[in-house]
Amino acid sequence: MASPGVRRWHEQLVALDLFTLVPLAQAHGQDLSEEQLGQQWAQRLSAWPPSGVGDDSALLTVSAAERLLAYAWLRLEASVEASGEAFVLGLVIHPEARSAGVVRGLMRQLAQCLDAWDVPAVSSHVYRLNEASMRFHRKLGFQAAQENAQAVAFTLRRPVVGGWMARLA
C-alpha cells in the first residue's frame, strides 16, 4: 500500500490527467477512461516509497492548499538503465497553474532527483498536438531525437558544469 503522502494524490492525479491528457490522447485516436486512469495510478502509487522518490522512480508534485497543481513522474527504464538515462513518463501542469512559481518548483524537484540519480540524460515523449509542452521542452533545451505522426521523442543531456540544477532549476 502506498504511503498516505503519495496515496492522497490519487483522485487529483486522475482528475488532472482527465482534464489535460485525455483530450490529447483522444485527438491522437487513443481512448483513456477515468476507470483506466484510476487503475493505472493505483498501480503506480502502490509501488512508491513514502517520500515519493525511490531508487528507480519518482513522483514529484507541486500543490497549494492541498490542491495538486503539477506533477512529474520519472523512471529509470529497464531498457535504458545500462546507459543510466531517466525517462519522464508524465509531466503535467494544470493550465490555470502555469505560473513561473509552479514551473520553477517542479523543475527544481526534477533537477534534484536527476542529480541524485546522477543520470547523463533524460528523455520525454510529447504528443505533437500538445503545443505548450513542445514549446516547453524546446525552451528547456530538449532536442528532438525521434519523431512520428503522433509524437516527438525528446532528449536532454546533463550539463557538464553545474549538473541538472544548472539546467532546470
Side-chain angles (χ1 to χ4, degrees):
M1 179 70 71
S3 73
V6 174
R7 192 176 54 236
R8 71 185 170 125
W9 295 121
H10 181 265
E11 288 180 16
Q12 291 190 53
L13 287 160
V14 171
L16 188 53
D17 281 356
L18 281 169
F19 184 68
T20 58
L21 297 179
V22 168
L24 290 166
Q26 289 173 339
H28 284 90
Q30 298 172 339
D31 191 29
L32 289 175
S33 68
E34 183 173 359
E35 181 180 340
Q36 288 172 308
L37 289 170
Q39 290 171 354
Q40 287 173 359
W41 275 113
Q43 181 180 2
R44 294 169 188 160
L45 294 174
S46 70
W48 256 281
S51 69
V53 178
D55 292 336
D56 64 355
S57 63
L59 176 62
L60 312 170
T61 61
V62 175
S63 63
E66 297 194 30
R67 177 176 170 241
L68 180 66
L69 302 176
Y71 76 83
W73 171 37
L74 311 170
R75 188 167 62 199
L76 293 173
E77 294 286 336
S79 61
V80 295
E81 275 183 350
S83 64
E85 291 186 11
F87 186 75
V88 178
L89 295 157
L91 193 152
V92 178
I93 303 169
H94 193 288
E96 295 172 5
R98 291 182 181 158
S99 68
V102 170
V103 172
R104 197 171 23 258
L106 189 59
M107 292 300 99
R108 188 176 306 114
Q109 289 181 64
L110 182 65
Q112 289 170 339
C113 181
L114 294 173
D115 277 336
W117 285 348
D118 196 27
V119 294
V122 61
S123 298
S124 178
H125 293 166
V126 179
Y127 283 121
R128 283 191 173 280
L129 294 178
N130 191 344
E131 295 173 10
S133 186
M134 296 282 278
R135 283 191 307 274
F136 184 65
H137 278 73
R138 288 188 173 109
K139 181 178 178 180
L140 290 174
F142 278 82
Q143 301 294 315
Q146 232 179 351
E147 300 183 40
N148 64 29
Q150 289 189 330
V152 176
F154 285 103
T155 300
L156 181 64
R157 300 273 171 223
R158 179 184 178 138
V160 176
V161 177
W164 290 109
M165 288 299 281
R167 170 74 70 157
L168 298 174

